[in-house]
Amino acid sequence: MPIEKASSNIWLTEYLSEGEIYQYLISKILLQEQSDYQNICIVELENKSKALILNNVLQSSTADSHMYYEPFIHVPFIHNQNPENILILGAGDGSSAREALKWKCVKKIKIVEIDKAVITSCMAHIPEMSKGCFKNSKVKIDYLDARIFIKQDEQKYDVIIYDLNLKTLEKSNLLGRIDKEFLLDCQSLLKKNGYMCLEIGEVPYQRNELFLSKLNVFKSVFRSLKIFSSWVPSRCKNISFVLLSKDKIIETIPIYDVNLLLEKQLLDEPSFLNARTYIGLMNPAIFIQDYEK
Amino acid sequence: MPIEKASSNIWLTEYLSEGEIYQYLISKILLQEQSDYQNICIVELENKSKALILNNVLQSSTADSHMYYEPFIHVPFIHNQNPENILILGAGDGSSAREALKWKCVKKIKIVEIDKAVITSCMAHIPEMSKGCFKNSKVKIDYLDARIFIKQDEQKYDVIIYDLNLKTLEKSNLLGRIDKEFLLDCQSLLKKNGYMCLEIGEVPYQRNELFLSKLNVFKSVFRSLKIFSSWVPSRCKNISFVLLSKDKIIETIPIYDVNLLLEKQLLDEPSFLNARTYIGLMNPAIFIQDYEK
């Protein structure tokens, strides 16, 4: 495949595993800076989309942000049915708050972000991600470490979205690792019928003891757990999320009810997930069903 | 991610698009030969799996062959409910026939393969793919061009599996391109309630006129079409398949019926797809639902 017309020859390289490399062509660097916490880079890719890169790991792209954030936000919201008070740990480019604001019932969104530079950089260079959400009157931002925030917060939430990329956390000095103590603190902030949701990367398709032990930490704190996955082209991965609840999670909410709920709640047409897609996400491959047990 | 312990430094490189490269580490080359039709390569990958590579394009790997072939074969079989007579165009490494033979009701499988060298090489170097299927008494192999075969064949089939990789076809001199004439010939070989199924690569997530025009060729010959997708790690892609029928395809067969059918029919436990997974596959993202219309 010739790249005769390519506008640059800058390839960003990521190791997907020890034996796999994924490289993508960057046509233009829009911002490159070192904040107090991490390396922030905003680029234009060869397909004309823009992407946020933190510590050399691509976080999201304007081309397929909806393929990541619609499942991530709407699945826990569908299960809660009437989410009013939302906590988002990690502001990122604003995509999670943007999706949350599509729900009529949402009254308050608290964003906790340690690195103000991420928000200001994204607002300046990729405002199409946040779509003004950081300025929305329902949204309040606390510039604080998530781990400290959850120790001192006294509010209760319907949904907690943990939107910090684990791979980036490993590479940086940020706190906020997910351990039992952290999960217990989060769980204590959930209202009745509350849900916590977070990304868990790509689920290993062969039985993997390390991955199982990580899931067991979730299972030791929350009564039930569901895994759903979405193919995210710019990450070159089938990204999985875990939905956590103190109560038993209904395996699949009937399609008719989901249809009614989305029609009633959504202020904006979804572009990735409707009631049928939700049913699809809730019914994964056998190896994922086995991990849920 | 350090690769200090890597057993080799041979990286096979594929362009996923003009701005994306996927490379994987090959620890050992088991076979490399030029047949009358194509370049055949069988390798061991860094994750210890073995893979078949035709004309420099990875076709399948022993690690995740089930993630590709269980959906590919079992979905059309589930829709037919009682597939007895099967036509497979392109033998590959034998995975498609292996999956088809798991169904009790299957009486005859005809494989059409132009390149005998693919079969003999795979039988010698990756027999764990075919699991003896090429020697099974239900299986007959015709060494012939698929396009010529379907012009002269007089049998009728319950399911036709088109298992020739389109990307490989483009790179080789093989005939068998999918055009209206070819599809009409295939359609005429289908019994009542018959299905044809083939891979269509990765479905573009943004509206794509070229892709739509390809789908329209299918729609001009078959009455209905369904698209389902499976993440295949060794291909580093979310691979989609298209299910074609002269009749109206039932949107989703009820989970209870699929459960009963699989219990009655399967000689071997599936490792990727059960009734729940089938429901998941039938309910894709909105952009795929739109292509199906």
PDB file of all heavy atoms in Angstrom, chain A residues 19-25 236 272 274 276-277 282-284 286 289, chain B residues 19-25 236 272 274 276-277 282-284 286 289:
ATOM      1  N   GLY A  19       5.076  -8.967  21.170  1.00  0.00           N
ATOM      2  CA  GLY A  19       5.354  -9.372  19.793  1.00  0.00           C
ATOM      3  C   GLY A  19       4.519  -8.626  18.766  1.00  0.00           C
ATOM      4  O   GLY A  19       4.399  -9.064  17.620  1.00  0.00           O
ATOM      5  N   GLU A  20       3.911  -7.503  19.165  1.00  0.00           N
ATOM      6  CA  GLU A  20       3.048  -6.773  18.237  1.00  0.00           C
ATOM      7  C   GLU A  20       3.262  -5.275  18.338  1.00  0.00           C
ATOM      8  O   GLU A  20       3.217  -4.709  19.430  1.00  0.00           O
ATOM      9  CB  GLU A  20       1.576  -7.033  18.552  1.00  0.00           C
ATOM     10  CG  GLU A  20       1.063  -8.399  18.245  1.00  0.00           C
ATOM     11  CD  GLU A  20      -0.330  -8.541  18.832  1.00  0.00           C
ATOM     12  OE1 GLU A  20      -0.426  -8.524  20.087  1.00  0.00           O
ATOM     13  OE2 GLU A  20      -1.303  -8.617  18.080  1.00  0.00           O
ATOM     14  N   ILE A  21       3.454  -4.652  17.184  1.00  0.00           N
ATOM     15  CA  ILE A  21       3.637  -3.206  17.141  1.00  0.00           C
ATOM     16  C   ILE A  21       2.513  -2.590  16.299  1.00  0.00           C
ATOM     17  O   ILE A  21       2.136  -3.135  15.260  1.00  0.00           O
ATOM     18  CB  ILE A  21       5.005  -2.863  16.494  1.00  0.00           C
ATOM     19  CG1 ILE A  21       6.149  -3.238  17.431  1.00  0.00           C
ATOM     20  CG2 ILE A  21       5.081  -1.383  16.124  1.00  0.00           C
ATOM     21  CD1 ILE A  21       7.524  -3.119  16.796  1.00  0.00           C
ATOM     22  N   TYR A  22       1.984  -1.488  16.766  1.00  0.00           N
ATOM     23  CA  TYR A  22       1.001  -0.733  15.980  1.00  0.00           C
ATOM     24  C   TYR A  22       1.577   0.659  15.773  1.00  0.00           C
ATOM     25  O   TYR A  22       1.988   1.322  16.725  1.00  0.00           O
ATOM     26  CB  TYR A  22      -0.318  -0.685  16.738  1.00  0.00           C
ATOM     27  CG  TYR A  22      -1.385   0.168  16.092  1.00  0.00           C
ATOM     28  CD1 TYR A  22      -1.766  -0.048  14.770  1.00  0.00           C
ATOM     29  CD2 TYR A  22      -2.021   1.178  16.804  1.00  0.00           C
ATOM     30  CE1 TYR A  22      -2.747   0.737  14.175  1.00  0.00           C
ATOM     31  CE2 TYR A  22      -3.011   1.955  16.221  1.00  0.00           C
ATOM     32  CZ  TYR A  22      -3.372   1.727  14.904  1.00  0.00           C
ATOM     33  OH  TYR A  22      -4.341   2.500  14.322  1.00  0.00           O
ATOM     34  N   GLN A  23       1.624   1.090  14.521  1.00  0.00           N
ATOM     35  CA  GLN A  23       2.167   2.411  14.212  1.00  0.00           C
ATOM     36  C   GLN A  23       1.145   3.211  13.423  1.00  0.00           C
ATOM     37  O   GLN A  23       0.467   2.675  12.544  1.00  0.00           O
ATOM     38  CB  GLN A  23       3.417   2.270  13.347  1.00  0.00           C
ATOM     39  CG  GLN A  23       4.576   1.626  14.048  1.00  0.00           C
ATOM     40  CD  GLN A  23       5.802   1.615  13.152  1.00  0.00           C
ATOM     41  OE1 GLN A  23       5.824   0.961  12.129  1.00  0.00           O
ATOM     42  NE2 GLN A  23       6.818   2.367  13.542  1.00  0.00           N
ATOM     43  N   TYR A  24       1.040   4.480  13.732  1.00  0.00           N
ATOM     44  CA  TYR A  24       0.142   5.300  12.922  1.00  0.00           C
ATOM     45  C   TYR A  24       0.822   6.607  12.547  1.00  0.00           C
ATOM     46  O   TYR A  24       1.619   7.174  13.295  1.00  0.00           O
ATOM     47  CB  TYR A  24      -1.206   5.522  13.602  1.00  0.00           C
ATOM     48  CG  TYR A  24      -1.132   5.857  15.060  1.00  0.00           C
ATOM     49  CD1 TYR A  24      -1.024   7.179  15.475  1.00  0.00           C
ATOM     50  CD2 TYR A  24      -1.162   4.849  16.013  1.00  0.00           C
ATOM     51  CE1 TYR A  24      -0.944   7.482  16.832  1.00  0.00           C
ATOM     52  CE2 TYR A  24      -1.075   5.146  17.353  1.00  0.00           C
ATOM     53  CZ  TYR A  24      -0.969   6.457  17.755  1.00  0.00           C
ATOM     54  OH  TYR A  24      -0.874   6.753  19.082  1.00  0.00           O
ATOM     55  N   LEU A  25       0.450   7.039  11.379  1.00  0.00           N
ATOM     56  CA  LEU A  25       1.071   8.193  10.770  1.00  0.00           C
ATOM     57  C   LEU A  25       0.459   9.473  11.334  1.00  0.00           C
ATOM     58  O   LEU A  25      -0.758   9.618  11.401  1.00  0.00           O
ATOM     59  CB  LEU A  25       0.816   8.100   9.261  1.00  0.00           C
ATOM     60  CG  LEU A  25       1.615   8.953   8.309  1.00  0.00           C
ATOM     61  CD1 LEU A  25       3.107   8.794   8.527  1.00  0.00           C
ATOM     62  CD2 LEU A  25       1.250   8.551   6.875  1.00  0.00           C
ATOM     63  N   CYS A 236      -6.736   0.555  17.972  1.00  0.00           N
ATOM     64  CA  CYS A 236      -6.404  -0.742  17.362  1.00  0.00           C
ATOM     65  C   CYS A 236      -6.648  -1.886  18.344  1.00  0.00           C
ATOM     66  O   CYS A 236      -5.871  -2.834  18.418  1.00  0.00           O
ATOM     67  CB  CYS A 236      -4.965  -0.760  16.852  1.00  0.00           C
ATOM     68  SG  CYS A 236      -4.746  -1.976  15.534  1.00  0.00           S
ATOM     69  N   PHE A 272     -23.629   5.600  17.734  1.00  0.00           N
ATOM     70  CA  PHE A 272     -23.056   4.247  17.827  1.00  0.00           C
ATOM     71  C   PHE A 272     -24.005   3.254  18.490  1.00  0.00           C
ATOM     72  O   PHE A 272     -24.190   2.148  18.017  1.00  0.00           O
ATOM     73  CB  PHE A 272     -21.740   4.285  18.620  1.00  0.00           C
ATOM     74  CG  PHE A 272     -21.106   2.940  18.805  1.00  0.00           C
ATOM     75  CD1 PHE A 272     -20.338   2.380  17.792  1.00  0.00           C
ATOM     76  CD2 PHE A 272     -21.284   2.201  19.974  1.00  0.00           C
ATOM     77  CE1 PHE A 272     -19.767   1.118  17.935  1.00  0.00           C
ATOM     78  CE2 PHE A 272     -20.717   0.943  20.127  1.00  0.00           C
ATOM     79  CZ  PHE A 272     -19.960   0.415  19.106  1.00  0.00           C
ATOM     80  N   ASN A 274     -27.660   2.096  20.033  1.00  0.00           N
ATOM     81  CA  ASN A 274     -29.100   2.171  20.304  1.00  0.00           C
ATOM     82  C   ASN A 274     -29.493   0.915  21.098  1.00  0.00           C
ATOM     83  O   ASN A 274     -28.611   0.175  21.561  1.00  0.00           O
ATOM     84  CB  ASN A 274     -29.904   2.354  19.004  1.00  0.00           C
ATOM     85  CG  ASN A 274     -29.700   1.212  18.020  1.00  0.00           C
ATOM     86  OD1 ASN A 274     -29.171   0.154  18.367  1.00  0.00           O
ATOM     87  ND2 ASN A 274     -30.119   1.432  16.783  1.00  0.00           N
ATOM     88  N   ARG A 276     -30.678  -1.939  20.250  1.00  0.00           N
ATOM     89  CA  ARG A 276     -30.161  -3.189  19.687  1.00  0.00           C
ATOM     90  C   ARG A 276     -28.680  -3.354  20.008  1.00  0.00           C
ATOM     91  O   ARG A 276     -28.234  -4.451  20.383  1.00  0.00           O
ATOM     92  CB  ARG A 276     -30.327  -3.199  18.159  1.00  0.00           C
ATOM     93  CG  ARG A 276     -31.474  -4.071  17.672  1.00  0.00           C
ATOM     94  CD  ARG A 276     -31.475  -4.155  16.146  1.00  0.00           C
ATOM     95  NE  ARG A 276     -30.493  -5.092  15.643  1.00  0.00           N
ATOM     96  CZ  ARG A 276     -30.156  -5.200  14.347  1.00  0.00           C
ATOM     97  NH1 ARG A 276     -30.738  -4.408  13.451  1.00  0.00           N
ATOM     98  NH2 ARG A 276     -29.261  -6.083  13.964  1.00  0.00           N
ATOM     99  N   THR A 277     -27.917  -2.257  19.855  1.00  0.00           N
ATOM    100  CA  THR A 277     -26.475  -2.338  20.141  1.00  0.00           C
ATOM    101  C   THR A 277     -26.243  -2.713  21.598  1.00  0.00           C
ATOM    102  O   THR A 277     -25.341  -3.502  21.912  1.00  0.00           O
ATOM    103  CB  THR A 277     -25.801  -0.985  19.836  1.00  0.00           C
ATOM    104  OG1 THR A 277     -26.285  -0.485  18.597  1.00  0.00           O
ATOM    105  CG2 THR A 277     -24.292  -1.125  19.781  1.00  0.00           C
ATOM    106  N   MET A 282     -24.283  -6.758  25.636  1.00  0.00           N
ATOM    107  CA  MET A 282     -24.537  -7.555  26.854  1.00  0.00           C
ATOM    108  C   MET A 282     -24.377  -9.061  26.620  1.00  0.00           C
ATOM    109  O   MET A 282     -24.492  -9.844  27.556  1.00  0.00           O
ATOM    110  CB  MET A 282     -25.952  -7.278  27.390  1.00  0.00           C
ATOM    111  CG  MET A 282     -26.154  -5.881  27.951  1.00  0.00           C
ATOM    112  SD  MET A 282     -25.090  -5.550  29.394  1.00  0.00           S
ATOM    113  CE  MET A 282     -23.915  -4.412  28.664  1.00  0.00           C
ATOM    114  N   ASN A 283     -24.150  -9.450  25.363  1.00  0.00           N
ATOM    115  CA  ASN A 283     -24.078 -10.881  25.054  1.00  0.00           C
ATOM    116  C   ASN A 283     -22.764 -11.223  24.338  1.00  0.00           C
ATOM    117  O   ASN A 283     -22.731 -11.405  23.127  1.00  0.00           O
ATOM    118  CB  ASN A 283     -25.292 -11.275  24.203  1.00  0.00           C
ATOM    119  CG  ASN A 283     -26.578 -11.220  25.006  1.00  0.00           C
ATOM    120  OD1 ASN A 283     -26.819 -12.084  25.839  1.00  0.00           O
ATOM    121  ND2 ASN A 283     -27.384 -10.192  24.782  1.00  0.00           N
ATOM    122  N   PRO A 284     -21.694 -11.318  25.119  1.00  0.00           N
ATOM    123  CA  PRO A 284     -20.355 -11.456  24.531  1.00  0.00           C
ATOM    124  C   PRO A 284     -19.964 -12.904  24.223  1.00  0.00           C
ATOM    125  O   PRO A 284     -20.755 -13.832  24.404  1.00  0.00           O
ATOM    126  CB  PRO A 284     -19.463 -10.885  25.638  1.00  0.00           C
ATOM    127  CG  PRO A 284     -20.173 -11.274  26.892  1.00  0.00           C
ATOM    128  CD  PRO A 284     -21.647 -11.220  26.578  1.00  0.00           C
ATOM    129  N   ILE A 286     -17.934 -16.521  24.647  1.00  0.00           N
ATOM    130  CA  ILE A 286     -17.904 -17.440  25.793  1.00  0.00           C
ATOM    131  C   ILE A 286     -16.780 -17.096  26.771  1.00  0.00           C
ATOM    132  O   ILE A 286     -16.988 -17.102  27.988  1.00  0.00           O
ATOM    133  CB  ILE A 286     -17.758 -18.907  25.309  1.00  0.00           C
ATOM    134  CG1 ILE A 286     -19.023 -19.346  24.556  1.00  0.00           C
ATOM    135  CG2 ILE A 286     -17.488 -19.848  26.482  1.00  0.00           C
ATOM    136  CD1 ILE A 286     -18.927 -20.719  23.914  1.00  0.00           C
ATOM    137  N   GLN A 289     -17.959 -14.387  28.950  1.00  0.00           N
ATOM    138  CA  GLN A 289     -18.985 -14.899  29.876  1.00  0.00           C
ATOM    139  C   GLN A 289     -18.309 -15.634  31.043  1.00  0.00           C
ATOM    140  O   GLN A 289     -18.724 -15.513  32.197  1.00  0.00           O
ATOM    141  CB  GLN A 289     -19.933 -15.866  29.152  1.00  0.00           C
ATOM    142  CG  GLN A 289     -20.782 -15.222  28.057  1.00  0.00           C
ATOM    143  CD  GLN A 289     -21.594 -16.254  27.269  1.00  0.00           C
ATOM    144  OE1 GLN A 289     -21.977 -17.297  27.795  1.00  0.00           O
ATOM    145  NE2 GLN A 289     -21.840 -15.964  26.003  1.00  0.00           N
TER     146      GLN A 289
ATOM    147  N   GLY B  19      -2.320   4.951   6.693  1.00  0.00           N
ATOM    148  CA  GLY B  19      -1.650   5.592   7.816  1.00  0.00           C
ATOM    149  C   GLY B  19      -1.463   4.689   9.015  1.00  0.00           C
ATOM    150  O   GLY B  19      -1.216   5.163  10.121  1.00  0.00           O
ATOM    151  N   GLU B  20      -1.612   3.375   8.804  1.00  0.00           N
ATOM    152  CA  GLU B  20      -1.507   2.446   9.935  1.00  0.00           C
ATOM    153  C   GLU B  20      -0.725   1.195   9.558  1.00  0.00           C
ATOM    154  O   GLU B  20      -1.026   0.544   8.555  1.00  0.00           O
ATOM    155  CB  GLU B  20      -2.893   1.983  10.377  1.00  0.00           C
ATOM    156  CG  GLU B  20      -3.742   2.987  11.082  1.00  0.00           C
ATOM    157  CD  GLU B  20      -5.149   2.433  11.205  1.00  0.00           C
ATOM    158  OE1 GLU B  20      -5.794   2.242  10.142  1.00  0.00           O
ATOM    159  OE2 GLU B  20      -5.590   2.168  12.321  1.00  0.00           O
ATOM    160  N   ILE B  21       0.234   0.862  10.401  1.00  0.00           N
ATOM    161  CA  ILE B  21       1.051  -0.331  10.187  1.00  0.00           C
ATOM    162  C   ILE B  21       0.872  -1.259  11.376  1.00  0.00           C
ATOM    163  O   ILE B  21       0.828  -0.819  12.523  1.00  0.00           O
ATOM    164  CB  ILE B  21       2.542   0.055  10.068  1.00  0.00           C
ATOM    165  CG1 ILE B  21       2.800   0.782   8.746  1.00  0.00           C
ATOM    166  CG2 ILE B  21       3.438  -1.178  10.177  1.00  0.00           C
ATOM    167  CD1 ILE B  21       4.203   1.357   8.634  1.00  0.00           C
ATOM    168  N   TYR B  22       0.730  -2.554  11.079  1.00  0.00           N
ATOM    169  CA  TYR B  22       0.689  -3.558  12.131  1.00  0.00           C
ATOM    170  C   TYR B  22       1.849  -4.523  11.881  1.00  0.00           C
ATOM    171  O   TYR B  22       2.011  -5.035  10.788  1.00  0.00           O
ATOM    172  CB  TYR B  22      -0.649  -4.289  12.091  1.00  0.00           C
ATOM    173  CG  TYR B  22      -0.776  -5.432  13.063  1.00  0.00           C
ATOM    174  CD1 TYR B  22      -0.525  -5.253  14.419  1.00  0.00           C
ATOM    175  CD2 TYR B  22      -1.149  -6.700  12.631  1.00  0.00           C
ATOM    176  CE1 TYR B  22      -0.645  -6.310  15.312  1.00  0.00           C
ATOM    177  CE2 TYR B  22      -1.275  -7.756  13.524  1.00  0.00           C
ATOM    178  CZ  TYR B  22      -1.022  -7.556  14.858  1.00  0.00           C
ATOM    179  OH  TYR B  22      -1.141  -8.601  15.746  1.00  0.00           O
ATOM    180  N   GLN B  23       2.668  -4.725  12.909  1.00  0.00           N
ATOM    181  CA  GLN B  23       3.812  -5.614  12.768  1.00  0.00           C
ATOM    182  C   GLN B  23       3.766  -6.674  13.842  1.00  0.00           C
ATOM    183  O   GLN B  23       3.412  -6.386  14.984  1.00  0.00           O
ATOM    184  CB  GLN B  23       5.117  -4.830  12.950  1.00  0.00           C
ATOM    185  CG  GLN B  23       5.381  -3.831  11.862  1.00  0.00           C
ATOM    186  CD  GLN B  23       6.737  -3.166  12.052  1.00  0.00           C
ATOM    187  OE1 GLN B  23       6.933  -2.445  13.019  1.00  0.00           O
ATOM    188  NE2 GLN B  23       7.658  -3.413  11.141  1.00  0.00           N
ATOM    189  N   TYR B  24       4.091  -7.899  13.474  1.00  0.00           N
ATOM    190  CA  TYR B  24       4.158  -8.923  14.511  1.00  0.00           C
ATOM    191  C   TYR B  24       5.439  -9.734  14.363  1.00  0.00           C
ATOM    192  O   TYR B  24       5.952  -9.953  13.268  1.00  0.00           O
ATOM    193  CB  TYR B  24       2.920  -9.814  14.512  1.00  0.00           C
ATOM    194  CG  TYR B  24       2.437 -10.255  13.169  1.00  0.00           C
ATOM    195  CD1 TYR B  24       2.902 -11.429  12.600  1.00  0.00           C
ATOM    196  CD2 TYR B  24       1.529  -9.483  12.459  1.00  0.00           C
ATOM    197  CE1 TYR B  24       2.456 -11.827  11.362  1.00  0.00           C
ATOM    198  CE2 TYR B  24       1.096  -9.875  11.213  1.00  0.00           C
ATOM    199  CZ  TYR B  24       1.557 -11.047  10.668  1.00  0.00           C
ATOM    200  OH  TYR B  24       1.143 -11.442   9.424  1.00  0.00           O
ATOM    201  N   LEU B  25       5.892 -10.145  15.504  1.00  0.00           N
ATOM    202  CA  LEU B  25       7.182 -10.806  15.615  1.00  0.00           C
ATOM    203  C   LEU B  25       7.026 -12.285  15.249  1.00  0.00           C
ATOM    204  O   LEU B  25       6.135 -12.968  15.745  1.00  0.00           O
ATOM    205  CB  LEU B  25       7.650 -10.662  17.061  1.00  0.00           C
ATOM    206  CG  LEU B  25       9.087 -10.941  17.421  1.00  0.00           C
ATOM    207  CD1 LEU B  25      10.047 -10.156  16.549  1.00  0.00           C
ATOM    208  CD2 LEU B  25       9.304 -10.581  18.886  1.00  0.00           C
ATOM    209  N   CYS B 236      -5.561  -8.370  13.924  1.00  0.00           N
ATOM    210  CA  CYS B 236      -5.595  -7.008  14.455  1.00  0.00           C
ATOM    211  C   CYS B 236      -6.755  -6.216  13.847  1.00  0.00           C
ATOM    212  O   CYS B 236      -6.613  -5.044  13.511  1.00  0.00           O
ATOM    213  CB  CYS B 236      -4.265  -6.295  14.231  1.00  0.00           C
ATOM    214  SG  CYS B 236      -4.002  -4.965  15.413  1.00  0.00           S
ATOM    215  N   PHE B 272     -16.037 -20.349  21.511  1.00  0.00           N
ATOM    216  CA  PHE B 272     -16.245 -18.912  21.319  1.00  0.00           C
ATOM    217  C   PHE B 272     -17.727 -18.540  21.310  1.00  0.00           C
ATOM    218  O   PHE B 272     -18.141 -17.588  21.938  1.00  0.00           O
ATOM    219  CB  PHE B 272     -15.600 -18.453  19.998  1.00  0.00           C
ATOM    220  CG  PHE B 272     -15.803 -16.995  19.703  1.00  0.00           C
ATOM    221  CD1 PHE B 272     -14.994 -16.042  20.294  1.00  0.00           C
ATOM    222  CD2 PHE B 272     -16.829 -16.563  18.858  1.00  0.00           C
ATOM    223  CE1 PHE B 272     -15.187 -14.686  20.045  1.00  0.00           C
ATOM    224  CE2 PHE B 272     -17.035 -15.212  18.612  1.00  0.00           C
ATOM    225  CZ  PHE B 272     -16.206 -14.275  19.207  1.00  0.00           C
ATOM    226  N   ASN B 274     -21.747 -19.328  21.832  1.00  0.00           N
ATOM    227  CA  ASN B 274     -22.928 -20.070  22.264  1.00  0.00           C
ATOM    228  C   ASN B 274     -24.165 -19.220  21.915  1.00  0.00           C
ATOM    229  O   ASN B 274     -24.044 -18.222  21.190  1.00  0.00           O
ATOM    230  CB  ASN B 274     -22.856 -20.432  23.759  1.00  0.00           C
ATOM    231  CG  ASN B 274     -22.740 -19.216  24.655  1.00  0.00           C
ATOM    232  OD1 ASN B 274     -22.964 -18.071  24.224  1.00  0.00           O
ATOM    233  ND2 ASN B 274     -22.396 -19.453  25.910  1.00  0.00           N
ATOM    234  N   ARG B 276     -25.943 -17.114  23.556  1.00  0.00           N
ATOM    235  CA  ARG B 276     -25.837 -15.697  23.954  1.00  0.00           C
ATOM    236  C   ARG B 276     -24.933 -14.932  22.995  1.00  0.00           C
ATOM    237  O   ARG B 276     -25.248 -13.805  22.600  1.00  0.00           O
ATOM    238  CB  ARG B 276     -25.262 -15.584  25.377  1.00  0.00           C
ATOM    239  CG  ARG B 276     -26.289 -15.247  26.433  1.00  0.00           C
ATOM    240  CD  ARG B 276     -25.621 -15.019  27.777  1.00  0.00           C
ATOM    241  NE  ARG B 276     -25.018 -13.705  27.875  1.00  0.00           N
ATOM    242  CZ  ARG B 276     -24.209 -13.319  28.874  1.00  0.00           C
ATOM    243  NH1 ARG B 276     -23.906 -14.162  29.834  1.00  0.00           N
ATOM    244  NH2 ARG B 276     -23.721 -12.102  28.889  1.00  0.00           N
ATOM    245  N   THR B 277     -23.798 -15.543  22.635  1.00  0.00           N
ATOM    246  CA  THR B 277     -22.870 -14.874  21.718  1.00  0.00           C
ATOM    247  C   THR B 277     -23.561 -14.606  20.376  1.00  0.00           C
ATOM    248  O   THR B 277     -23.361 -13.548  19.764  1.00  0.00           O
ATOM    249  CB  THR B 277     -21.615 -15.744  21.488  1.00  0.00           C
ATOM    250  OG1 THR B 277     -21.181 -16.267  22.736  1.00  0.00           O
ATOM    251  CG2 THR B 277     -20.506 -14.939  20.844  1.00  0.00           C
ATOM    252  N   MET B 282     -25.772 -10.630  16.409  1.00  0.00           N
ATOM    253  CA  MET B 282     -26.888 -10.178  15.568  1.00  0.00           C
ATOM    254  C   MET B 282     -27.336  -8.746  15.881  1.00  0.00           C
ATOM    255  O   MET B 282     -28.225  -8.215  15.215  1.00  0.00           O
ATOM    256  CB  MET B 282     -28.089 -11.121  15.731  1.00  0.00           C
ATOM    257  CG  MET B 282     -27.881 -12.518  15.179  1.00  0.00           C
ATOM    258  SD  MET B 282     -27.624 -12.536  13.366  1.00  0.00           S
ATOM    259  CE  MET B 282     -25.880 -12.909  13.291  1.00  0.00           C
ATOM    260  N   ASN B 283     -26.743  -8.141  16.899  1.00  0.00           N
ATOM    261  CA  ASN B 283     -27.179  -6.802  17.320  1.00  0.00           C
ATOM    262  C   ASN B 283     -26.002  -5.825  17.359  1.00  0.00           C
ATOM    263  O   ASN B 283     -25.501  -5.488  18.428  1.00  0.00           O
ATOM    264  CB  ASN B 283     -27.873  -6.903  18.680  1.00  0.00           C
ATOM    265  CG  ASN B 283     -29.211  -7.611  18.575  1.00  0.00           C
ATOM    266  OD1 ASN B 283     -30.166  -7.070  18.041  1.00  0.00           O
ATOM    267  ND2 ASN B 283     -29.257  -8.850  19.043  1.00  0.00           N
ATOM    268  N   PRO B 284     -25.594  -5.365  16.187  1.00  0.00           N
ATOM    269  CA  PRO B 284     -24.362  -4.579  16.061  1.00  0.00           C
ATOM    270  C   PRO B 284     -24.573  -3.084  16.314  1.00  0.00           C
ATOM    271  O   PRO B 284     -25.674  -2.625  16.654  1.00  0.00           O
ATOM    272  CB  PRO B 284     -23.954  -4.827  14.621  1.00  0.00           C
ATOM    273  CG  PRO B 284     -25.258  -4.956  13.896  1.00  0.00           C
ATOM    274  CD  PRO B 284     -26.206  -5.609  14.873  1.00  0.00           C
ATOM    275  N   ILE B 286     -24.846   0.977  15.437  1.00  0.00           N
ATOM    276  CA  ILE B 286     -25.771   1.663  14.531  1.00  0.00           C
ATOM    277  C   ILE B 286     -25.225   1.739  13.104  1.00  0.00           C
ATOM    278  O   ILE B 286     -25.960   1.523  12.134  1.00  0.00           O
ATOM    279  CB  ILE B 286     -26.090   3.083  15.067  1.00  0.00           C
ATOM    280  CG1 ILE B 286     -26.889   2.990  16.372  1.00  0.00           C
ATOM    281  CG2 ILE B 286     -26.861   3.899  14.022  1.00  0.00           C
ATOM    282  CD1 ILE B 286     -27.136   4.333  17.055  1.00  0.00           C
ATOM    283  N   GLN B 289     -25.941  -1.456  11.433  1.00  0.00           N
ATOM    284  CA  GLN B 289     -27.392  -1.562  11.163  1.00  0.00           C
ATOM    285  C   GLN B 289     -27.760  -0.755   9.919  1.00  0.00           C
ATOM    286  O   GLN B 289     -28.569  -1.186   9.102  1.00  0.00           O
ATOM    287  CB  GLN B 289     -28.199  -1.045  12.356  1.00  0.00           C
ATOM    288  CG  GLN B 289     -28.032  -1.873  13.635  1.00  0.00           C
ATOM    289  CD  GLN B 289     -28.736  -1.217  14.839  1.00  0.00           C
ATOM    290  OE1 GLN B 289     -29.750  -0.524  14.684  1.00  0.00           O
ATOM    291  NE2 GLN B 289     -28.212  -1.432  16.032  1.00  0.00           N
TER     292      GLN B 289
END
